[in-house]
Amino acid sequence: MITKRHVIRATAAAALTGVMPGVLRRAAAQSKMIFKASDVHPEGYPTVTAVENMGKALDKATDGRLTVQMYASMQLGGEKEAIEQAQVGAIALARVSVGALGAVIGDLNVLNLPFLFRDTTHMEKVIDGPIGQELLDKVTNNPTANIVGLCWMDAGARNMYDTKRPIKDIGDLKGLKVRVMGNPMFVDMMNALGGNGVSMGYDQVFTALQTGVVDGAENNPPSFVFDNHYQVAKYYTLTEHLIVPEMLVFSKPIWNKMSKDDQALVQKLARDAQMDERVLWGQYEAKALEKMKESGIQIVTIADKKPFQDAVKPVWDKYAPQFSDIIKRIQAVR
């Protein structure tokens, strides 16, 4: 690692000899770096705040040499665009759903199976343990992905919401055009449940709901409320059909330009951000549910989820066999 003392010595040598030595050139190359970060969610959202807090810690630890500049609220596009920009080094950090990443790194699609986890606590135990680390490594070591898997972030359970009618049982989904993330598995899932799955970028959902391009969508309570979907969709059903974690990824082209010490520091602070975001998530989810009640959203609880679970069997038949070993390990986590 090049320290201030090295630079001072090198500068003195340069003054005496009139030649800039290699250490000074390397010091110049390691000057201040601003890591652009992208998130589809607005300022104050748990994932946004956690990455901003990580940036503050990074700035402090490096005396301002490494900092994070957050672009929230889809300023740089949706999740698909964020992944693509990270892959080419246009941005450094992207917080994206595993639903979107699964289309790029197939190994992650195991986490996109409907009703894979018993509940959010089960999901957290999985991503905090060896399975979670293995999947992060699969992102980093993927020869074509060109991104580094830094850490996980909670995103709660995904539920159905729509503009047409309350979904009280699986029959109420029949014929509804429902937006899903851009992953064939989710289209198949929605079609199996009786709806019509419409793959669409997250940045298009509000307008699509407003104009009737889709009748509904599916997401967690904070996204539904704080991205303003509750303003047009008045029915929210707690199906908890998906519990899909999210991931913070780093651009490999930028990563490869960093020193090993800087890489290790970013990894450590990313793990801190994972725990930070989890606390923020719990608080934010409670606020979202309260806001939904205050706004008159009709919240429906599904007492018996078995019809929904039975309906997605074709999805499991199609996608699960390739993940049979890791599924057994996930289900064994207690």
Side-chain angles (χ1 to χ4, degrees):
M1 175 183 287
I2 297 170
T3 66
K4 290 181 179 178
R5 184 173 60 188
H6 290 137
V7 175
I8 291 169
R9 287 176 178 173
T11 304
L16 289 171
T17 64
V19 177
M20 179 178 282
V23 67
L24 188 55
R25 287 196 297 272
R26 290 196 300 275
Q30 288 190 13
S31 59
K32 184 177 178 71
M33 294 180 72
I34 300 174
F35 298 140
K36 288 185 177 179
S38 175
D39 202 307
V40 299
H41 297 302
E43 288 288 340
Y45 197 89
T47 54
V48 173
T49 301
V51 174
E52 288 176 333
N53 290 345
M54 172 184 161
K56 292 173 185 175
L58 188 61
D59 184 273
K60 183 178 179 181
T62 62
D63 293 325
R65 184 170 56 82
L66 302 179
T67 60
V68 172
Q69 184 174 5
M70 170 59 71
Y71 292 84
S73 299
M74 297 180 279
Q75 292 180 63
L76 301 180
E79 293 190 336
K80 180 177 181 291
E81 291 77 18
I83 294 168
E84 291 169 349
Q85 290 174 70
Q87 288 175 316
V88 299
I91 64 174
L93 290 155
R95 194 287 315 151
V96 291
S97 172
V98 169
L101 271 176
V104 180
I105 302 159
D107 289 320
L108 297 179
N109 274 322
V110 64
L111 301 182
N112 293 326
L113 285 166
F115 300 106
L116 171 68
F117 297 108
R118 294 185 295 274
D119 49 34
T120 54
T121 299
H122 179 207
M123 182 274 294
E124 289 170 355
K125 288 180 179 179
V126 170
I127 63 174
D128 288 348
I131 295 173
Q133 185 58 52
E134 287 171 25
L135 292 174
L136 287 172
D137 291 342
K138 284 184 181 293
V139 174
T140 302
N141 298 328
N142 187 289
T144 60
N146 225 23
I147 50 179
V148 175
L150 281 184
C151 69
W152 299 98
M153 291 194 170
D154 284 34
R158 298 177 75 92
N159 305 289
M160 305 285 183
Y161 55 91
D162 73 288
T163 61
K164 298 294 186 183
R165 56 180 177 263
I167 298 167
K168 296 182 178 180
D169 57 51
I170 194 168
D172 292 325
L173 270 169
K174 188 172 178 59
L176 289 181
K177 295 174 292 182
V178 183
R179 178 266 173 180
V180 294
M181 288 180 281
N183 188 317
M185 186 183 293
F186 297 138
V187 176
D188 289 345
M189 174 198 71
M190 191 55 62
N191 292 344
L193 289 168
N196 295 324
V198 180
S199 176
M200 180 184 295
Y202 190 70
D203 51 326
Q204 304 170 50
V205 178
F206 180 84
T207 301
L209 287 167
Q210 197 173 39
T211 58
V213 172
V214 296
D215 302 313
E218 47 84 54
N219 217 318
N220 53 55
S223 296
F224 174 68
V225 171
F226 297 108
D227 288 321
N228 296 319
H229 297 179
Y230 79 103
Q231 294 180 1
V232 286
K234 300 301 182 181
Y235 307 106
Y236 193 91
T237 300
L238 299 171
T239 50
E240 297 185 327
H241 54 281
L242 288 171
I243 300 176
V244 179
E246 300 185 336
M247 191 181 289
L248 183 64
V249 300
F250 200 100
S251 167
K252 192 169 283 186
I254 298 174
W255 186 260
N256 289 339
K257 295 176 183 177
M258 296 163 58
S259 70
K260 295 295 184 184
D261 287 342
D262 284 347
Q263 290 174 354
L265 176 62
V266 169
Q267 285 180 318
K268 175 188 178 300
L269 295 179
R271 298 305 172 86
D272 293 344
Q274 177 171 325
M275 295 299 106
D276 182 26
E277 191 270 348
R278 184 166 299 169
V279 174
L280 293 169
W281 181 265
Q283 297 168 351
Y284 215 63
E285 192 168 52
K287 289 180 183 177
L289 289 167
E290 188 59 34
K291 178 74 172 178
M292 287 163 63
K293 293 172 184 175
E294 291 174 357
S295 303
I297 301 300
Q298 186 171 336
I299 302 172
V300 179
T301 300
I302 300 294
D304 181 11
K305 295 177 184 172
K306 192 172 186 304
F308 291 83
Q309 293 166 338
D310 291 344
V312 298
K313 185 179 182 299
V315 180
W316 276 72
D317 291 342
K318 181 177 180 179
Y319 295 100
Q322 61 182 305
F323 303 120
S324 57
D325 290 341
I326 194 170
I327 288 172
K328 290 176 184 175
R329 292 174 60 203
I330 288 171
Q331 292 176 336
V333 173
R334 296 290 171 183

